[in-house]
Amino acid sequence: MSAVTGVGLTPFGRLEGQDTLALMSRAATAALADAELERRDVDGLVCGYSTTLPHLMLSTVFAEHFGLAPRYAHAMQLGGATGFGLVMLAHALADAGTARRILVVAGENRLTGQSRDAAIQTLAQVGHPVYEVPLGPTIPAYYGLVASRYMHEFGATEADFAELAVLMRANAARMPGAHLTAPLTVADVLASKPIATPLKLADCCPVSDGAAAFVIEREEPGRDAIRIRGTGQAHRHQHVTAAGPVGAFGAAEAAGRALGAAGVALADIRYGAIYDSFTVTLAILLEELGLAPRGGAGRLAREGRFAPDGALPLNTHGGLLSYGHCGVAGAMAHAVEAVRQMRGEAGDRQVARPALALLHGDGGVLSSHVSLVLEATR
Amino acid sequence: MSPDLLDWTAGAERLVFEACGGCGRVRYFRRPFCPACGSQAVEARIASGRGTVYAATTVVRAPSAELRAFAPYGIALVDAAEGFRFMAHAADGLRIGDPVATAFRTFGSRLVPFCQPAGDP
Ligand SMILES: [Zn+2]
């Protein structure tokens, strides 16, 4: 078993003058302090990628920059699934004894380090370079296609999507460092400008600067910690043209593996940290994971099920939709918040302390799926 | 085998798919083997361009300055009559389930498939 013993998170948003390595360093420093460790204690380093610092060897670039000499280093690229993929890797490394104290870190100046067009074009390259990208799609267009089919099959409406954006914004308003905090209503979401139908601006996460980090260690008996109980992945397609039916993208498979490894039933989960690049992403994932009925995620949000005082608090920091999205660290912020809630350290955002949390991330166009089950050991 | 059968991605006004001589499966993204059964008996075939809209979006925010002048434009996933799915530009107002036929049009510096309601002249 392994445990998350430290977390670090920067504000997300417009952080002028800080590049990828500066942001990663900031989050790493916070995570080490939280774990009460020094640089020399770290013997494993796993990190993500940065679109503003593309490099063949980002992990060792960071190791040199930050002052680490790990016995294991690795940079992973799984799109939006990378953050939780890194946790799964660190868990496996700790379990295998490959490394004892592993720093997981990612960050980038995705907002201020490049033009908006550059960011949008880089991201659109997850599409097929021959059969999709020449048609001029964007990431919202790929998800707009999925959303159109999802609405057609399950009867969900744009107002249902809007409920999820409203919930994330209300959560972000209580979270220091959130990118978007202006009050948002369902009517505001529906009136926001169209990006790729049926998705409108307020259905889409912002592009942010930011970073996040964790320390993951082999579990020591007697130490209070947030234990990584189970992990799982599933990868069933890359491109939306090659994707299977809506609702069978692999999320359920990944979560089934994580819950199975944990020996935990879905009904015992008390906190959700679910990827929300778009409102439709969150709706489809909640439903495929079994946390909402088909087509019913928006209705459950409207009824309060996912509110901080509801049965299943969700992304209480505001998610990608409002805390912000800076790439790999975007989903890692979900995990930082889950750990804080499980420790009882979420301040005035604190919900009933969850003993078990389910985390789920996806990369590409609902292509790569990673699930984690975390447990508070006291 | 017709490895040199050019399609719209190479500037020819054609939609091409592949059929496996081993297991009979069809697919759109061309490659020299069947990813389902591993057979290298892969045959490229010209598609009719007829199909049904599976999903549709209208792109309002284009990805680049070059393409901004074309926005808004429709993009659809179409289930071809031959059993594969492809992405194409879509005529205004196309909805999921609509039968379509495929023409071709220029978009930026490229030729792209353009689906219109079937039966239109
Ligand atoms: Zn075959």
Side-chain angles (χ1 to χ4, degrees):
Chain A
M1 281 293 175
S2 70
V4 182
T5 59
V7 295
L9 179 66
T10 71
F12 280 12
R14 182 171 290 278
L15 308 175
E16 298 282 358
Q18 298 177 62
D19 64 12
T20 290
L21 294 174
L23 289 163
M24 288 172 71
S25 298
R26 201 172 149 187
T29 299
L32 287 181
D34 188 42
E36 299 178 341
L37 294 177
E38 303 291 336
R39 283 171 169 73
R40 64 174 176 274
D41 299 321
V42 172
D43 63 359
L45 171 66
V46 294
C47 69
Y49 57 89
S50 164
T51 63
T52 57
L53 181 60
H55 197 287
L56 295 175
M57 302 172 67
L58 187 60
S59 62
T60 48
V61 167
F62 179 75
E64 178 187 281
H65 177 81
F66 191 63
L68 303 173
R71 65 177 64 207
Y72 183 93
H74 188 155
M76 181 186 288
Q77 292 185 298
L78 269 182
T82 308
F84 296 164
L86 291 170
V87 174
M88 182 168 176
L89 173 61
H91 171 66
L93 293 169
D95 235 19
T98 308
R100 295 179 56 87
R101 297 189 191 89
I102 300 152
L103 177 66
V104 178
V105 60
E108 70 174 271
N109 51 338
R110 186 169 279 194
L111 175 59
T112 59
Q114 60 193 334
S115 74
R116 187 157 291 263
D117 271 5
I120 286 167
Q121 281 170 49
T122 299
L123 298 175
Q125 304 306 313
V126 305
H128 196 291
V130 176
Y131 295 101
E132 295 177 349
V133 172
L135 297 162
T138 53
I139 294 276
Y142 301 130
Y143 278 88
L145 288 167
V146 172
S148 73
R149 188 71 200 182
Y150 164 79
M151 292 168 72
H152 177 80
E153 290 195 16
F154 302 119
T157 65
E158 294 181 45
D160 290 327
F161 291 149
E163 293 288 349
L164 298 168
V166 168
L167 173 63
M168 290 302 105
R169 185 62 58 85
N171 287 351
R174 289 184 288 271
M175 176 70 181
H179 189 165
L180 301 177
T181 56
L184 189 72
T185 65
V186 167
D188 293 335
V189 179
L190 293 175
S192 63
K193 66 178 180 182
I195 300 293
T197 62
L199 301 177
K200 299 164 292 295
L201 185 63
D203 290 301
C204 308
C205 65
V207 174
S208 317
D209 301 328
F214 319 119
V215 176
I216 291 173
E217 302 185 56
R218 291 196 79 156
E219 194 180 0
E220 286 177 30
R223 182 176 177 183
D224 289 333
I226 304 304
R227 179 192 285 167
I228 300 169
R229 273 285 295 265
T231 61
Q233 298 191 11
H235 311 275
R236 300 171 63 101
H237 69 270
Q238 172 64 30
H239 304 106
V240 67
T241 302
V246 175
F249 288 131
E253 234 176 322
R257 287 167 184 156
L259 291 164
V264 164
L266 186 63
D268 295 328
I269 296 296
R270 290 291 177 271
Y271 183 86
I274 312 295
Y275 200 76
D276 58 325
S277 50
F278 299 93
T279 50
V280 64
T281 319
L282 184 54
I284 287 175
L285 291 177
L286 284 168
E287 293 168 22
E288 187 171 334
L289 291 168
L291 299 172
R294 296 293 184 186
R299 177 176 56 78
L300 290 192
R302 185 157 50 238
E303 292 169 2
R305 182 173 181 82
F306 303 124
D309 60 353
L312 187 74
L314 177 69
N315 303 346
T316 50
H317 66 305
L320 301 168
L321 284 166
S322 283
Y323 189 73
H325 195 354
C326 55
V328 176
M332 289 170 66
H334 293 58
V336 169
E337 177 70 359
V339 167
R340 287 176 174 162
Q341 291 286 3
M342 297 176 87
R343 286 173 170 175
E345 294 176 356
D348 55 9
R349 298 186 315 286
Q350 185 64 48
V351 301
R353 264 184 64 191
L356 287 164
L358 176 64
L359 289 66
H360 187 89
D362 89 84
V365 188
L366 293 151
S367 318
S368 275
H369 294 269
V370 184
S371 295
L372 307 170
V373 175
L374 301 186
E375 178 189 36
T377 57
R378 72 181 158 102
Chain B
M1 287 262 281
S2 337
D4 49 358
L5 187 58
L6 299 183
D7 65 10
W8 67 271
T9 65
E13 292 200 357
R14 261 194 226 118
L15 201 60
V16 174
F17 68 106
E18 284 181 350
C20 175
C23 69
R25 286 185 178 84
V26 298
R27 69 188 154 269
Y28 184 50
F29 298 167
R30 293 169 69 179
R31 67 204 84 162
F33 56 87
C34 172
C37 76
S39 170
Q40 295 184 22
V42 164
E43 186 191 9
R45 296 181 186 165
I46 298 172
S48 65
R50 300 242 159 209
T52 306
V53 176
Y54 173 77
T57 185
T58 299
V59 179
V60 182
R61 204 297 183 192
S64 65
E66 184 206 6
L67 298 180
R68 208 153 289 150
F70 295 89
Y73 46 89
I75 292 181
L77 290 173
V78 175
D79 284 339
E82 293 83 356
F84 64 95
R85 183 172 295 160
F86 66 103
M87 189 182 283
H89 272 204
D92 286 349
L94 274 182
R95 297 169 64 94
I96 290 173
D98 285 351
V100 292
T102 306
F104 295 86
R105 70 176 183 183
T106 54
F107 178 65
S109 55
R110 300 289 302 263
L111 185 74
V112 299
F114 178 54
C115 289
Q116 298 165 288
D120 270 13

